Amino acid sequence: MMNYSNNALNFSYLLLDYYKELNIKENELAVILMIDHLLSQDNEFITKDVLQLKMSLSSKEIDNAMTSLYQKKYIEFVVENNTAKTSIRPLKKILYKKFEQSIFSEEELKRNEESVKLREEVFSLLEEIFSRSLSPIEISRADEWIKANVDRDIIINSIKDAKVRNELSINAIDRIIINKIRSLNN
């Protein structure tokens, strides 16, 4: 799944667009919007009592809405650093995934997932053989291989070949990849 920053997509817009499809009732929608509003004001633990101060819904209506949202796994209550917090992250993940699915075809999503997996595999292997984190230039070069649709086996085998030859640089790996591609095309 693609990662979206909190400001990249408007949560309220997505929520209003998809709430019916997610089986969210209007009372629940109002509660979610108020929780999001309170979270944006650095409130961490939002209870029905806090919501009741801001909303015209009854205590029972708010409680029912929060219980339903929790059961649907749209909101969660977590403890971080001995502090209880209310979170709508699960709902945001669902909404962002729905948005992603609406703009990308199944084939594009599958290709993106495969690309993300290959990227993680390549970066992990490079960090392992270099015995350190990758530099921005190294990350960029490895990304170029993936974006150019260089076969997974060619990339992985080239990294391993560079290790065997004790040529532990991104330029050496790049040369090995280029040579392997040339030999395949001849």
Side-chain angles (χ1 to χ4, degrees):
M1 183 172 114
M2 298 173 78
N3 293 324
Y4 299 101
S5 71
N6 291 340
N7 298 325
L9 292 171
N10 185 303
F11 170 70
S12 299
Y13 174 86
L14 291 177
L15 179 62
L16 291 169
D17 234 27
Y18 291 108
Y19 84 95
K20 183 178 179 185
E21 188 178 325
L22 294 175
N23 193 29
I24 296 173
K25 307 294 180 232
E26 278 74 12
N27 279 358
E28 296 168 353
L29 177 66
V31 167
I32 293 166
L33 291 170
M34 185 56 71
I35 289 172
D36 185 49
H37 173 70
L38 292 170
L39 288 172
S40 73
Q41 295 179 340
D42 295 326
N43 294 290
E44 293 183 336
F45 187 56
I46 300 160
T47 63
K48 73 174 181 176
D49 297 327
V50 172
L51 291 171
Q52 195 172 8
L53 293 172
K54 292 283 204 177
M55 301 179 76
S56 63
L57 294 173
S58 71
S59 177
K60 184 173 176 57
E61 289 171 317
I62 293 171
D63 191 42
N64 287 342
M66 287 185 77
T67 300
S68 175
L69 292 168
Y70 180 78
Q71 289 172 340
K72 294 175 186 173
K73 297 186 180 351
Y74 292 156
I75 63 172
E76 64 184 356
F77 301 97
V78 294
V79 177
E80 292 176 3
N81 303 325
N82 293 327
T83 305
K85 296 181 180 188
T86 304
S87 173
I88 55 175
R89 262 181 274 158
L91 178 58
K92 285 185 175 186
K93 285 180 182 176
I94 292 167
L95 288 171
Y96 295 152
K97 181 114 177 123
K98 285 218 163 281
F99 173 76
E100 190 176 280
Q101 289 170 340
S102 73
I103 58 173
F104 296 113
S105 70
E106 241 355 90
E107 186 178 312
E108 289 170 320
L109 284 174
K110 187 173 189 235
R111 233 184 356 255
N112 183 47
E113 284 178 25
E114 289 168 358
S115 182
V116 167
K117 285 179 187 172
L118 177 58
R119 188 175 196 265
E120 289 170 359
E121 182 180 9
V122 167
F123 288 1
S124 176
L125 185 57
L126 285 169
E127 287 179 346
E128 181 185 315
I129 70 156
F130 291 164
S131 299
R132 61 173 170 77
S133 296
L134 300 178
S135 72
I137 291 170
E138 292 165 335
I139 291 170
S140 176
R141 185 71 60 88
D143 267 339
E144 288 173 16
W145 303 330
I146 295 165
K147 287 177 186 169
N149 292 320
V150 175
D151 185 77
R152 176 202 170 277
D153 291 338
I154 290 176
I155 296 172
I156 300 301
N157 290 334
S158 296
I159 294 169
K160 291 177 180 177
D161 289 351
K163 182 180 181 180
V164 168
R165 296 177 190 175
N166 202 25
E167 295 178 2
L168 301 180
S169 75
I170 204 75
N171 290 333
I173 297 167
D174 200 40
R175 278 191 306 274
I176 295 169
I177 288 173
I178 290 168
N179 288 336
K180 285 182 187 262
I181 291 171
R182 279 186 190 149
S183 69
L184 284 175
N185 293 332
N186 288 336

